[in-house]
Amino acid sequence: MDHAQHDDLRKENQSLNRQLQEYKELVDAIKNGSIDALAINKNGEPEIFALESTDYVYRVLVENFAESALNVTDTGLIVYANSAFDRLLNAANATLVGANIESFLDSKSKKAFKEMFRASFSGTSKGELVLSYNGKKIPVYVSMSSLYPRFPGIGIIITDLTEKKEQEIFTSSLEHKISERTAFIQQVIDSSVEAISTFDKDLNYTSINKTALQDLALSANDIIGKNVLEIFPHLKETAQYQSMQRALGGETVFHNNIISQSNGTVYEAYFKPLIVNEEITGVLLMARDITTVVHAKRRLEEMNRELEVKNTELMHTNTELASFSYIASHDLQEPLRKIQAFTGRILDKQSDEFTKTTKDYFTRIIAAAAAMQNLIDALHAYSRTSVLKPEFILTDLNQIMEDVKRSMQEMITSSEAVIDCPTLPTIRVIPLQMHQVFSNLINNAIKFRKPKERPYIKITAELISEENIKEEVALPKRKYWKISVTDNGIGFEKIYGEKIFELFQKLHGKDAYSGTGIGLSICKKIIQNHKGLINVNSEPGMGTTFNIYLPART
Amino acid sequence: MKTEAAVDLKKYSFKLFVTGMSVSSTRAIQNIKTICESYLADNYSLEIIDVHKNPMLVQKYDIIACPTLLIERPEPIKRLIGDLSDKEKILKLFNIKNT
């Protein structure tokens, strides 16, 4: 190689090295950040690019915007997206930049987007769209502005409407609920049997329910908004109108007897203040038609009065009757005794002088007098049971039964009657009266025996609870002694079961069986005095059973 | 963000460093997208990185100016500065013939 050539190459190499060194230093300087700007030759014109750029401020602003800001090309390619857009789609910025904005649109929004996008080329366009990313739909408000001619693209600002939409949905569902609730309440109010209406502070109707409209025979349109005096001028001087005024003053007023002028319907009504936020805003009127109740009450009162009068009359009559029978039976004794005494004497001393017929008549007179004596005695006994108030004594019924048997010894022996009696209880009774009951029943049993049969009387006693008694008793929820007297006598038809306890009732002819027809009435009266019951079971030819129920000791 | 492992699966792997607000960066994004979609089909991964948002990456990948396309694969690593408007030159770098 030529020496001079070699020298040139060496020089050139050194110069290149120098240049390289310079460039390296430039690059290092740029990288170190020790230069402020780069001078660039553009189309022969020098252009200065500040490295610490003035757009820094805007960049920070845009980057930290709450709204999403994008730069896209005219084909929709995203070349810049701020961090708000990353957050909106919940995606990494590097996956968004370089993608087409159309790929983030919900299929239903694509058409609208294209129209907006096209429109933005000649200015600005705005509208609501729906984005879709990873299956999530995001309602947004989009605003597009053309950046031409300085920048080949479109600037897009996207506002997230999710919260707003949710708020709208919430509000509309709230409205729906409120209207449902209102309809429900209206239905309840309309279904009320009470007539309900409301008034404002000037007593203009603000609402009225169906019941009230039916009562007034008016439609809501006739009433709502009108003053109460316009509808019912006659109210002006009434207590009701005053009550409305008092309700406006905060009082609750009750009327129990408002009578409608038009049809005489009777109402009871409340006038109440309507209070909203501690302020009286009007009056609530609730009225109830009580016509039928009032009428029924009136009728009931009338009936009660009538009943009272009748009761008093009845009590009076009863007392009179009782004292009458007592006095009558007592006073009848005396003349009868005289008749008996004198007929007895005549028969004793002069019967020998009598013709056969006279003797027969006389015998009949004496028998009739004896019968009358019996009747008076029985009547006297009966009236005594209701007039006198003897004392209840704890008594052994066995003892009473023994007394009865002793006093009837003759009758029992002559009829050859058998009395089968178990041990009877000891209870509180009026001993004399119980003696009468037992003797009456046994007397009946023997009296109404079958002609050619020996009388057999069976007495039983058992303790039962009140529920087992078919008829109503005076003392519920008590134990009762059921004492039954059963005979094998002639019996009687069931239909007479009640009748035989009535005064002077006799089922059989006077000739066949002796008696006054008072005995069982006395028994019934006595058992009633003891707060008990007496009833009978019988069948013709099958015997009779009398059942006595007496309260047991508690 | 895509993981490194996922990126490694593709034959072509690029990182484009831009400032999204500038005209050159916008062109660079448009151009590389066109080339990738036209010639590389699904066989590439492309990350577009805004240098303002990722200053640490600027240092890591030794970037001086924007836009810069960093070609990580096919190797060796190469850098292209500018708006990537010379399509022929880029295809040559990728060993792809323009048909």
Side-chain angles (χ1 to χ4, degrees), chain B residues 7 12 14-15 22 26 28 31 33-36 40 42 44 46 50 56 58 62-63 66 69 74 76 78 85 87 93:
Chain B
V7 170
Y12 298 94
F14 315 118
K15 285 187 167 63
S22 76
T26 301
N31 289 332
K33 280 292 274 190
T34 309
I35 291 165
C36 285
L40 307 181
D42 282 336
Y44 72 95
L46 170 66
D50 190 323
M56 296 308 290
V58 173
D62 204 16
I63 305 302
C66 283
L69 180 69
K78 292 172 278 286
S85 48
K87 196 170 83 179
L93 271 174

Side-chain angles (χ1 to χ4, degrees), chain A residues 27 30-31 59 62-63 71 73-74 77-83 86 92-95 97-99 150-152, chain B residues 1-2 18-23 25-27 29-31 33 37 46-50 52-54 62-64:
Chain A
V27 170
I30 294 169
K31 283 171 77 174
R59 175 172 280 282
V62 171
E63 187 59 32
N71 275 350
T73 67
D74 55 6
L77 190 70
I78 299 172
V79 296
Y80 169 79
N82 71 350
S83 57
D86 307 349
N93 192 266
T95 63
V97 175
R150 290 289 300 275
F151 187 90
Chain B
M1 190 163 298
K2 282 180 186 173
V18 296
T19 69
M21 301 281 211
S22 76
V23 177
S25 289
T26 301
R27 285 209 196 99
I29 294 169
Q30 275 179 301
N31 289 332
K33 280 292 274 190
E37 278 165 13
L46 170 66
E47 259 187 281
I48 298 170
I49 296 161
D50 190 323
H52 291 287
K53 294 188 181 191
N54 302 285
D62 204 16
I63 305 302
I64 308 165

